[in-house]
Amino acid sequence: MKLPVHYHPTTTVLVDDSDSFLRSLSFQLDPAQPNISFHDTVAALEWFGRSVRSADLPLLVNFDDPHQSVERRNVTVDMARIWRISAQPKRFTIPSVLVVDYSMPQMDGVTFCQALQGLPCKKILFTGAADERIAVDAFNRGLIDRYIRKSAEDALDQLERDLAALQKQFFLEHTETVREMLALHDFGFLHCSAIARVVDELYRTHDFVEHYVFPNPSGILFYDRAGKPTLMIIETAHGLHAQYEVARDSGAPPSLLLALEERRVLPFFPHVGKDGMYTDEVGEQWHRYCRPPEVCQGRETWYWALFELPSRFLDSKPASFDTFLRSQRPAEAA
């Protein structure tokens, strides 16, 4: 299991020549995932041509000094660009997964997928019993990512499972290069499957709908549907020791120093500066800004806790998923 650098709801595209099937399928899918339906393949291809792409929400990667020789350059990542994606409502309209029927009069589903081969969206093909060999061939050629027999009793359940898996895969592939770079530095938790499982559980238990890697303090910024931010701070033993050293050098109370030394608290002091570290302004009120850490044993030992994130840590206001859904009229078949 891997953790993408960021994740947010996207749009599922449904293409089938049957209006009744499209209406039924759209109704049965998870309402938390936007979808748009087409019974006309030409109209669907035109829509894809106009659609927002992941590249329209870039993660900026650059060289720190372009005048250096290639061998001496350091690669830099604009970390703020990651969580600032949350300010762009068009992120929800990115087509991440296509669900298309094979047997259609204008254009069969494999030909349709072939026409979209240059796009990064994932593709699921609905087939009839007689079309399975065609689907296997399309899968082997890399034209589709999954196929489902339309007549199968568990077709809808399988579709929901495949949609969830492919939407996550969409983000993993889009952010893979950045993820590998960040994991080499202060974001090693991006390589940890144990942390990825914790994040999945937090989605379920706190009704989060999106997340973004956050730089300082390092961790993961979650948003719920209303756009409320929650920061999951993730530290190593080394990071907690750095917290201890800063607090000690700033004259922190012995009670805080002992709690940090024994790793009984994970601190976040948001009212001073923007790094959450201790200053002498905190004083004896330190316990108000600390949480008992949860321990996650993975590739190394991680200590994490959830904190409310003050708005001054974010220089842009998130465009919430609820606001986006209210702005959308029910998608009608083209």
Side-chain angles (χ1 to χ4, degrees):
M1 178 177 288
K2 295 183 179 181
L3 180 64
V5 168
H6 71 93
Y7 175 88
H8 55 74
T10 50
T11 295
T12 298
V13 183
L14 311 173
V15 181
D16 195 297
D17 61 307
S18 169
D19 279 341
S20 60
F21 180 76
L22 283 173
R23 284 194 295 269
S24 174
L25 185 58
S26 180
F27 177 77
Q28 293 179 75
L29 290 179
D30 183 355
Q33 292 293 337
N35 66 75
I36 186 170
S37 302
F38 296 91
H39 69 260
D40 184 310
T41 53
V42 174
L45 288 175
E46 290 176 351
W47 181 89
F48 269 105
R50 302 188 303 269
S51 65
V52 175
R53 312 292 169 79
S54 297
D56 297 331
L57 308 173
L59 304 182
L60 188 60
V61 179
N62 212 331
F63 296 113
D64 60 348
D65 185 353
H67 302 294
Q68 292 274 13
S69 65
V70 174
E71 294 80 7
R72 297 173 64 91
R73 291 177 183 172
N74 291 317
V75 178
T76 61
V77 179
D78 185 352
M79 292 291 295
R81 289 289 288 272
I82 298 175
W83 62 260
R84 284 180 184 147
I85 291 173
S86 65
Q88 303 187 46
K90 64 181 180 180
R91 70 190 183 279
F92 301 125
T93 68
I94 294 174
S96 62
V97 183
L98 162 70
V99 181
V100 60
D101 187 30
Y102 172 72
S103 181
M104 297 183 294
Q106 287 180 301
M107 181 186 301
D108 69 66
V110 172
T111 303
F112 186 88
C113 290
Q114 195 161 15
L116 298 175
Q117 201 167 4
L119 296 184
C121 78
K122 299 301 183 179
K123 304 171 183 71
I124 300 174
L125 184 69
F126 266 132
T127 71
D131 307 321
E132 193 159 345
R133 290 181 61 185
I134 295 172
V136 171
D137 177 68
F139 178 83
N140 290 336
R141 291 162 58 195
L143 297 177
I144 63 173
D145 299 278
R146 300 278 199 284
Y147 65 89
I148 300 172
R149 286 182 60 173
K150 207 171 186 178
S151 59
E153 291 184 2
D154 65 341
L156 182 59
D157 291 338
Q158 185 178 344
L159 176 61
E160 290 179 335
R161 291 193 298 269
D162 286 350
L163 282 174
L166 291 177
Q167 283 160 353
K168 182 174 290 187
Q169 187 64 31
F170 174 84
F171 282 97
L172 282 169
E173 292 180 4
H174 172 54
T175 64
E176 182 66 15
T177 300
V178 174
R179 193 178 72 90
E180 291 298 317
M181 291 169 56
L182 296 180
L184 294 174
H185 298 282
D186 294 332
F187 305 91
F189 57 80
L190 289 170
H191 266 175
C192 182
S193 59
I195 285 289
R197 286 191 291 270
V198 170
V199 168
D200 275 358
E201 182 63 21
L202 290 175
Y203 266 98
R204 288 189 290 271
T205 56
H206 290 75
D207 294 325
F208 297 138
V209 297
E210 52 187 317
H211 79 258
Y212 305 86
V213 168
F214 197 75
N216 195 17
S218 61
I220 298 171
L221 174 61
F222 292 98
Y223 287 103
D224 64 12
R225 293 170 61 106
K228 179 184 176 182
T230 299
L231 181 61
M232 176 190 187
I233 295 179
I234 306 173
E235 286 284 13
T236 59
H238 177 76
L240 285 177
H241 184 68
Q243 292 267 9
Y244 169 84
E245 290 183 329
V246 169
R248 180 197 62 199
D249 295 344
S250 300
S255 54
L256 172 59
L257 296 178
L258 181 61
L260 286 171
E261 192 172 30
E262 295 179 350
R263 301 175 191 169
R264 290 187 283 109
V265 296
L266 184 59
F268 177 45
F269 304 107
H271 66 298
V272 283
K274 278 198 171 185
D275 60 2
M277 302 290 275
Y278 181 89
T279 73
D280 56 9
E281 298 173 45
V282 178
E284 296 293 341
Q285 301 299 313
W286 63 265
H287 61 277
R288 296 173 54 190
Y289 308 101
C290 295
R291 302 281 187 275
E294 301 284 346
V295 179
C296 176
Q297 190 65 55
R299 299 180 63 161
E300 58 182 297
T301 302
W302 307 97
Y303 302 85
W304 65 270
L306 297 179
F307 295 85
E308 292 185 8
L309 187 66
S311 59
R312 68 176 171 275
F313 275 70
L314 305 172
D315 56 18
S316 58
K317 184 178 180 180
S320 76
F321 187 46
D322 271 347
T323 300
F324 169 78
L325 291 178
R326 287 194 298 268
S327 72
Q328 302 297 299
R329 291 177 299 181
E332 298 178 355

